[in-house]
Amino acid sequence: NDLPIVYNISWYEQKAVIVLLALLYLGVKNIHLGPTLPAFLSPNVAKVLVDSFGIAGITTVDEDMRIFGL
């Protein structure tokens, strides 16, 4: 969780869901998804992901760089 990893994959691909689930299973937290959260997430599922795993959306480039300390 200390290394900044940038992984860009389209939510239109089923592989993206598998990658997200694998990262959550491995205990990776504070993942930023974007440009918006996937539409297939219900509000309740999104709330659990945000509260339990720190899932967040991306913002502007400058703000994201500041958040990640880059």
Side-chain angles (χ1 to χ4, degrees):
N1 280 326
D2 293 335
L3 296 175
I5 297 174
V6 176
Y7 184 76
N8 186 1
I9 189 166
S10 171
W11 285 117
Y12 300 112
E13 298 180 19
Q14 293 176 345
K15 293 180 282 188
V17 178
I18 299 300
V19 168
L20 176 61
L21 293 175
L23 290 171
L24 295 177
Y25 177 78
L26 292 170
V28 177
K29 295 190 178 202
N30 301 318
I31 298 171
H32 289 243
L33 306 173
T36 60
L37 292 178
F40 57 80
L41 292 179
S42 70
N44 290 337
V45 171
K47 182 175 178 359
V48 169
L49 291 175
V50 169
D51 294 344
S52 301
F53 298 100
I55 299 290
I58 59 172
T59 59
T60 65
V61 173
D62 291 334
E63 180 66 15
D64 287 344
M65 297 285 279
R66 186 191 64 73
I67 289 170
F68 292 114
L70 301 174

